[in-house]
């Protein structure tokens, strides 16, 4: 009898135990393309099968646990991979994002490897979705704007009349020399089809001063003109020292037609020393279903005699050699992407 009562109690309590468990979602993107690219140097054009020419191929786990009183525990682990070879991202298993935190009426706090405030604004205002060649991903990387932050503590406020506030602190965790700490703030505003955002970072990279990074962007969707999108952004890195400030400007548009969508983006890159590169890019995506699409794109960048700027897609870059001043890179892609 005691055994039967215990069994009955466990069965009755099972839904309560289940409700307390973390809800976990597996998700990802599988993207591959045939790519014909030319870095503009003497090596000429080459054709490859590439991974991530619209979106970086990835898989991830995200989940939450309801802690009661409007409070949730959250986590996200996201890993990059190369579909063409099957290998993981060279930077590490969960280098794309690895965070754990709390979410409630106060907003969201996360710890771990997270996107920077400028990266958040740049992603929201890039017409190419930081995917096709010619996207604003070329503004990130070594010596430019910081996109992801390791060892970081991050805060995003709850939305108030369309406004969100962003703040971050990333510890350099160095025992000698400049700390390597990054501090960042940002703000976003959303109202209907309108988005506005701006952010600022300071980085203690050298002993003499701080590196400074800036980002601002805007986007608007015209619902009464067939869903026409206009997106623009300004991204800048100003490392401590003279004559090395980097600036990038983007202006893009997207227009859906039936199951397809046309994209265009214009881009200018500049260095304080006079180097300048102007790029233009076109893309088209056709949806076979809600999760699968075909795409094609073409991008071309014209550098002046002082510049070696390159083109970036979701996972790849085409950059002239440092000695190939004035080289003009270009890329043409045809690919397929599936999300799950």
């Amino acid at each position: 009898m005691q055994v039967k009562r215990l069994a009955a109690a466990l069965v009755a309590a099972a839904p309560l135990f289940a409700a307390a468990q973390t809800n976990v979602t597996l998700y990802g993107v599988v993207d591959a393309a045939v790519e014909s690219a030319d870095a503009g140097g003497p090596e000429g054009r080459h054709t490859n099968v590439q991974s991530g020419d619209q979106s970086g191929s990835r898989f991830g786990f995200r989940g939450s646990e309801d802690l009661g009183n409007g409070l949730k525990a959250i986590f996200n682990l996201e890993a990059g991979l190369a579909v063409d070879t099957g290998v993981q991202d060279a930077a590490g298993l969960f280098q794309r994002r690895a965070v754990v935190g709390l979410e409630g009426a106060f907003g969201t706090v996360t710890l771990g490897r997270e996107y920077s405030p400028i990266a958040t604004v740049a992603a929201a205002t890039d017409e190419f979705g930081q995917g096709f060649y010619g996207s604003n991903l070329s503004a990130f990387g070594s010596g430019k704007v910081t996109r992801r932050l390791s060892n970081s503590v991050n805060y995003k406020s709850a939305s108030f009349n369309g406004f969100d506030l962003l703040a971050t602190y990333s510890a350099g965790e160095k025992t000698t020399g400049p700390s390597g700490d990054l501090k960042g703030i940002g703000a976003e505003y959303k109202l209907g089809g309108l988005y506005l955002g701006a952010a600022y970072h300071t980085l203690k990279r050298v002993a003499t001063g701080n590196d400074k990074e800036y980002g601002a962007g805007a986007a608007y969707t015209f619902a009464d003109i067939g869903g026409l999108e206009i997106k623009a952004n300004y991204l800048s890195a100003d490392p401590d020292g003279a004559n090395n400030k980097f600036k990038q400007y983007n202006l893009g548009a997207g227009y859906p037609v039936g199951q397809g969508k046309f994209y265009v983006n214009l881009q200018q890159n500049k260095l304080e020393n006079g180097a300048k590169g102007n790029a233009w890019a076109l893309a088209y995506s056709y949806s076979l279903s809600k999760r699968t699409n075909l795409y094609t794109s073409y991008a071309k960048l014209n550098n002046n005699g002082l510049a070696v700027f390159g083109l970036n897609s979701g996972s790849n870059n085409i950059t002239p050699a440092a000695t190939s001043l004035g080289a003009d890179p270009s890329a043409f892609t045809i690919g397929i992407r599936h999300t799950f």
Side-chain angles (χ1 to χ4, degrees), residues 269-285:
N269 298 275
K270 298 173 70 176
L271 282 175
E272 201 170 1
N273 67 358
K276 183 168 70 173
N278 295 319
W280 61 273
L282 302 170
Y284 176 73
S285 173

Side-chain angles (χ1 to χ4, degrees), residues 24 41 334:
V24 180
I334 298 177

Side-chain angles (χ1 to χ4, degrees), residues 100-147:
V100 63
L102 294 173
E103 179 180 291
F106 56 85
T108 303
V109 175
T110 59
L111 283 76
R113 182 165 171 82
E114 183 63 285
Y115 288 96
S116 71
I118 291 179
T120 299
V121 173
T125 57
D126 182 47
E127 185 57 51
F128 279 5
Q130 296 189 320
F132 302 115
Y133 278 112
S135 75
N136 68 19
L137 281 179
S138 59
F140 299 89
S142 178
K144 295 181 182 177
V145 184
T146 305
R147 189 177 183 214

Side-chain angles (χ1 to χ4, degrees), residues 27-271:
Y27 67 93
V29 178
V30 185
D31 182 321
V34 176
E35 172 187 298
S36 176
D38 186 352
E43 65 277 5
R45 184 166 294 276
H46 58 274
T47 300
N48 298 323
V49 175
Q50 295 280 49
S51 175
D53 272 351
Q54 180 179 0
S55 301
S57 296
R58 72 199 74 166
F59 70 92
F61 307 90
R62 57 175 169 244
S64 65
E65 180 186 12
D66 190 345
L67 302 176
N69 297 317
L71 185 65
K72 291 182 180 180
I74 59 172
F75 79 92
N76 188 187
L77 300 172
E78 187 172 289
L81 68 139
V83 174
D84 53 328
T85 61
V87 302
Q88 75 176 58
D89 194 298
L93 178 57
F94 290 118
Q95 66 83 30
R96 291 184 61 89
R97 193 172 189 235
V99 296
V100 63
L102 294 173
E103 179 180 291
F106 56 85
T108 303
V109 175
T110 59
L111 283 76
R113 182 165 171 82
E114 183 63 285
Y115 288 96
S116 71
I118 291 179
T120 299
V121 173
T125 57
D126 182 47
E127 185 57 51
F128 279 5
Q130 296 189 320
F132 302 115
Y133 278 112
S135 75
N136 68 19
L137 281 179
S138 59
F140 299 89
S142 178
K144 295 181 182 177
V145 184
T146 305
R147 189 177 183 214
R148 293 184 175 96
L149 303 171
S150 295
N151 312 312
S152 66
V153 180
N154 311 277
Y155 172 71
K156 181 176 182 178
S157 72
S159 182
F160 178 74
N161 291 334
F163 285 96
D164 298 324
L165 298 178
L166 309 170
T168 190
Y169 172 76
S170 173
E173 298 190 353
K174 296 182 178 180
T175 57
T176 60
S179 66
D181 295 352
L182 183 145
K183 300 173 184 177
I185 57 172
E188 299 178 292
Y189 177 71
K190 302 170 188 176
L191 177 64
L194 174 67
Y195 173 92
L196 300 172
Y200 171 72
H201 302 163
T202 62
L203 173 62
K204 192 65 176 178
R205 181 183 58 86
V206 295
T208 55
N210 294 331
D211 294 351
K212 301 175 179 64
E213 301 173 354
Y214 311 85
Y220 191 80
T221 300
F222 297 86
D224 55 347
I225 313 181
L228 171 67
E229 295 175 342
I230 302 293
K231 297 185 178 183
N233 51 71
Y234 164 76
L235 304 169
S236 176
D238 189 5
D240 183 73
N243 205 37
N244 54 13
K245 187 174 184 179
F246 166 81
K247 298 179 181 180
Q248 184 183 96
Y249 304 87
N250 288 276
L251 175 63
Y255 190 74
V257 179
Q259 293 176 246
K261 187 174 182 179
F262 292 92
Y263 305 82
V264 61
N265 194 63
L266 304 177
Q267 182 181 104
Q268 183 177 87
N269 298 275
K270 298 173 70 176
L271 282 175

